[in-house]
Amino acid sequence: MTLHKPSQGRFDERMARTLGSVHGWVPTITVTSCIVVAVAAQLRLDVLRHL
């Protein structure tokens, strides 16, 4: 939701440009975060299985 606020004029020009450039990376960041969490959980399960 924060990325849509610049179009409504709620931030200054500099912040609006920064959020506008980040907007295209949101899906990539989200998918990468989910993969990192899944890999960490799997590694933890593997360690617990060996105990």
Side-chain angles (χ1 to χ4, degrees):
M1 285 184 49
T2 304
L3 296 175
H4 293 288
K5 297 287 183 182
S7 63
Q8 298 174 357
R10 301 202 187 248
F11 294 114
D12 62 348
E13 182 65 30
R14 186 173 147 219
M15 182 63 92
R17 275 185 281 134
T18 302
L19 291 175
S21 65
V22 171
H23 189 352
W25 285 95
V26 171
T28 305
I29 293 168
T30 303
V31 170
T32 303
S33 301
C34 290
I35 291 171
V36 167
V37 169
V39 168
Q42 186 62 47
L43 290 173
R44 187 169 180 170
L45 286 173
D46 290 343
V47 168
L48 288 174
R49 186 180 58 167
H50 289 295
L51 293 177

